[in-house]
Amino acid sequence: MSDEKKATVGRRDFLRKVGIGTVGAGATLATPLVGPGRADSENNDEKRKARYKETDHVKAYYRVNRYPT
């Protein structure tokens, strides 16, 4: 019985191999997702415009939750 070779992989060796495979697959998948950088398309006036609008439902939310006006 002692002459038989075990074909099992140790727990740590298994985790190392799985980790290396995951890193390789992640690098392969992430490469096509990276696109070329683009410049900002807004001019200075558009960057400074007001984006937040206090509408009726926002006012009702503030009133119900007792935020100071």
Side-chain angles (χ1 to χ4, degrees), residues 5-67:
K5 292 184 179 179
K6 290 187 176 181
T8 60
V9 177
R11 178 178 51 174
R12 292 184 183 190
D13 291 333
F14 173 75
L15 293 175
R16 279 190 199 120
K17 290 177 183 177
V18 168
I20 290 171
T22 304
V23 170
T28 304
L29 291 176
T31 304
L33 299 178
V34 176
R38 292 186 293 165
D40 196 11
S41 62
E42 290 183 329
N43 60 23
N44 286 333
D45 293 333
E46 290 174 341
K47 288 179 185 177
R48 292 188 184 117
K49 72 178 179 182
R51 300 184 194 287
Y52 179 78
K53 295 180 180 168
E54 199 166 312
T55 58
D56 291 334
H57 72 281
V58 173
K59 290 178 185 177
Y61 177 82
Y62 287 159
R63 182 177 32 85
V64 168
N65 290 301
R66 299 182 185 158
Y67 286 105

